[in-house]
Amino acid sequence: MRWGVPIAAVVVVGAAVGTGPVIAAVQGDPALPERTAQQLLAEVAKNASRAEPPAMSGTVVETASLGLPALPATAGVSSSPFALLSGSHTLKVWYGGDDRVRLALPGQMSETDLISTGHGEAWLWQSGTNTATRYKLDGPAGAHAIPTPSVLPTARTPEDLAGELLKAAGQDTAVGVENGQHVAGRAAYQLVLTPKVATSLVGKVTVALDGETYIPLRVQVYAKGTAEPAFEVGFTQVAFTTPAPENFAFTPPAGAKVEDKTLGAGDGGPGDEVVAGAKAGQQAKAGARTHGTGWGTIAELPFSPENLAPSTPSTPSTPSTPSTPSTPSTPSTPSTPSKRLGAGKFGDTDPSKLADSLLKSAKRVSGPWGSGRVIESKLVSALLTDDGRLLIGAVTPEALTEAAGRR
């Protein structure tokens, strides 16, 4: 089970926007030419159809304030998925075209880099363990999607998230435009999405678009009744120029442990994990269903706390929870926790300890459908029933218990 609530919240929001007409709203300080919501969404769609991102570089900061209970310590490993549930975290990105991409996730005393050189290979450098892994692509570079390792669990830019949020804007959503915004020192338009669904926990979502390139610069998700975003990801610095070639070159430092992997080579490496995880996800989807539509969408999955127990060599671990059919997938590659970070742990956090921490904060609920426990945050509610179901959505707990009674 992925307890990556910030990203899960945004993914649920993105899937919930729906379809239908777009409503243009207010205009602010006319720092940029006026554009309607329809025009801005068309520009975003045009950007999304590109074969690869434009040449650029920048620094992205993700901030989450979800009101979750205190979680087990991750020993300062900011690349742990659970470290990203609260506080602020920084990601540096470089796009150079021709399959050249670099992502860097700094830690307190370390840094993790994923570098695609554009020459049929990619490097994963983890300074904390002094390990460099070289992934060889078995064929042309464009024939393979280089998996984002789980040590970069939310390695995404505002454009990635905005693409999910803006796939459609529908009848249960008011979409407006605000001018006069400035993000990372650049003039920007801001799309404002306001749900009309009473059961939704989301008050509004704002997406700031660069006034020149229409690239999303920032995404903010507000819970109802709050003045500050519960989750946001955005550039603090950005340049739409081609990064220097040395940003995409990597030579392991002296003394580093170097490993070689070939994607899809059947050697048990990440490429095989991608394939196995995808198959497991498809199988698990057979037992999943959804309730409701738009912002009120609720996913229901077969699940129990034992799924989070550390795996052993003799007991295969359970794959991470897949995306539901109506929910876009989260950025990390579906895979078993034991393979991702070893010994059934994420970083230095045992999933069973995390489950205990969250479940201790849960409230017991019951009804004609049975009984279970509800976990609440500002943007997402989850119901774990005693008969082995997980219901989750960006909705009120009451909406979850009502859905639990639908058989």
Side-chain angles (χ1 to χ4, degrees):
M1 170 59 186
R2 293 194 192 106
W3 289 101
V5 179
I7 294 301
V10 175
V11 170
V12 170
V13 170
V17 179
T19 57
V22 176
I23 304 173
V26 300
Q27 294 289 333
D29 180 14
L32 294 168
E34 290 190 2
R35 294 288 185 271
T36 66
Q38 294 96 325
Q39 289 172 323
L40 293 175
L41 289 172
E43 294 290 351
V44 173
K46 185 188 301 182
N47 283 334
S49 66
R50 297 187 309 261
E52 60 181 349
M56 64 178 295
S57 61
T59 301
V60 177
V61 174
E62 175 207 85
T63 302
S65 177
L66 298 170
L68 287 169
L71 302 178
T74 57
V77 182
S78 66
S79 60
S80 164
F82 303 128
L84 302 175
L85 292 173
S86 62
S88 295
H89 306 272
T90 300
L91 174 71
K92 297 180 180 180
V93 300
W94 296 261
Y95 295 128
D98 299 324
D99 294 321
R100 295 180 300 160
V101 180
R102 179 177 177 181
L103 305 173
L105 186 65
Q108 291 183 4
M109 299 294 292
S110 63
E111 180 167 301
T112 299
D113 285 76
L114 178 66
I115 305 166
S116 174
T117 66
H119 301 294
E121 68 175 12
W123 285 92
L124 173 63
W125 164 242
Q126 296 174 266
S127 68
T129 58
N130 199 29
T131 301
T133 304
R134 176 169 52 190
Y135 299 124
K136 284 290 187 181
L137 305 182
D138 186 15
H144 298 274
I146 298 174
T148 301
S150 55
V151 291
L152 293 170
T154 57
R156 313 190 72 185
T157 66
E159 184 174 17
D160 295 326
L161 297 183
E164 294 174 354
L165 288 163
L166 297 176
K167 284 181 178 177
Q171 296 176 344
D172 60 356
T173 308
V175 182
V177 180
E178 295 177 348
N179 205 333
Q181 301 293 315
H182 285 83
V183 178
R186 296 182 66 88
Y189 296 100
Q190 183 157 276
L191 288 166
V192 181
L193 286 67
T194 306
K196 300 179 182 178
V197 178
T199 58
S200 174
L201 294 177
V202 179
K204 67 177 180 179
V205 175
T206 64
V207 180
L209 305 175
D210 182 70
E212 181 180 348
T213 66
Y214 300 101
I215 299 294
L217 299 177
R218 183 183 64 200
V219 176
Q220 298 174 309
V221 184
Y222 293 78
K224 282 185 175 177
T226 62
E228 299 295 329
F231 172 79
E232 70 175 295
V233 57
F235 284 100
T236 58
Q237 178 275 325
V238 66
F240 292 100
T241 56
T242 303
E246 53 263 29
N247 287 298
F248 309 104
F250 178 77
T251 301
K257 179 183 177 182
V258 179
E259 301 176 346
D260 284 289
K261 300 288 185 181
T262 300
L263 295 185
D267 58 2
D272 302 307
E273 202 169 303
V274 171
V275 176
K279 290 181 179 179
Q282 290 298 324
Q283 294 171 356
K285 282 181 182 180
R289 63 173 180 161
T290 59
H291 304 272
T293 59
W295 297 91
T297 300
I298 297 170
E300 180 179 334
L301 310 165
F303 187 74
S304 73
E306 285 71 26
N307 294 135
L308 287 173
S311 60
T312 63
S314 59
T315 304
S317 57
T318 302
S320 56
T321 302
S323 305
T324 63
S326 64
T327 304
S329 60
T330 55
S332 57
T333 302
S335 58
T336 58
S338 61
K339 283 188 177 182
R340 290 169 70 177
L341 290 174
K345 293 186 178 183
F346 294 90
D348 290 341
T349 302
D350 188 327
S352 62
K353 293 180 181 179
L354 176 74
D356 289 342
S357 178
L358 289 172
L359 291 176
K360 283 179 181 177
S361 71
K363 295 189 301 184
R364 293 294 305 186
V365 294
S366 61
W369 49 270
S371 60
R373 289 166 286 185
V374 167
I375 300 171
E376 299 181 57
S377 76
K378 293 180 182 178
L379 289 178
V380 174
S381 297
L383 169 62
L384 185 61
T385 67
D386 293 341
D387 61 7
R389 293 178 292 153
L390 172 67
L391 292 91
I392 187 168
V395 296
T396 62
E398 293 75 17
L400 295 181
T401 56
E402 180 182 351
R406 302 174 194 156
R407 297 288 186 170

